[in-house]
Amino acid sequence: MKHISINGAKKLNNLERQLHLKNGALIFQKNNGEVVNVYMVVSFRDNKNRYRGDATAKYCSLVNLDTGYFAFEERCSRNTTVRRVLNHLLNIGCADYAYNASISTEKYGSYDIELYYVGEYSLDISYTKVNENS
């Protein structure tokens, strides 16, 4: 993470904890208690036409805030669990979809996530490049 610093934290340590992913929410991916990536929840867009007719009300995508790219190409259910989000982010599971309930807890190692909804966080923006033309 080159461009993000984080002040304050809360811990989620139950893989089966229920989550509801709303647009604008931030997901902090942690390894050994240290934040390794930050993602923003956005509406799912099927740019490869793999999921015909799926509504964005049920599915979302995650954008890596450090890179600006989608974290994965498949859809992510908005009503989900910590385990399922980690399956997507760590690419654990089946080839066609990220969820597999039979995966052992050891596969997740020391990974965890934190979830913050809009209104539970603030962003401080610092410019690294000055626009000479303005």
Side-chain angles (χ1 to χ4, degrees):
M1 289 192 340
K2 297 177 185 176
H3 309 291
I4 300 172
S5 60
I6 298 162
N7 300 314
K10 64 180 177 181
K11 184 173 174 74
L12 304 179
N13 53 10
N14 178 0
L15 291 175
E16 301 310 322
R17 180 179 173 166
Q18 294 292 312
L19 302 174
H20 181 68
L21 304 180
K22 299 177 184 180
N23 286 351
L26 296 182
I27 294 175
F28 295 178
Q29 180 185 3
K30 299 172 80 175
N31 189 10
N32 288 319
E34 184 177 327
V35 176
V36 293
N37 283 304
V38 178
Y39 304 93
M40 181 174 278
V41 178
V42 297
S43 294
F44 174 70
R45 297 290 184 252
D46 185 11
N47 63 346
K48 294 192 175 180
N49 204 23
R50 291 177 58 193
Y51 308 99
R52 295 189 176 123
D54 285 338
T56 61
K58 291 184 181 180
Y59 299 102
C60 62
S61 295
L62 302 182
V63 174
N64 184 314
L65 289 183
D66 202 39
T67 66
Y69 291 104
F70 287 110
F72 44 82
E73 291 187 9
E74 68 268 10
R75 63 189 181 185
C76 180
S77 178
R78 289 187 181 274
N79 291 313
T80 190
T81 63
V82 171
R83 177 188 300 270
R84 287 181 175 180
V85 172
L86 284 173
N87 283 353
H88 284 291
L89 295 177
L90 300 174
N91 199 20
I92 300 173
C94 300
D96 293 332
Y97 59 94
Y99 179 65
N100 184 345
S102 65
I103 296 170
S104 70
T105 306
E106 291 79 32
K107 285 270 194 182
Y108 301 95
S110 55
Y111 281 93
D112 201 356
I113 65 166
E114 294 180 17
L115 174 66
Y116 293 94
Y117 295 108
V118 173
E120 295 180 336
Y121 66 87
S122 63
L123 295 176
D124 294 326
I125 298 174
S126 299
Y127 295 101
T128 56
K129 181 178 178 182
V130 177
N131 187 351
E132 301 287 329
N133 297 327
S134 42

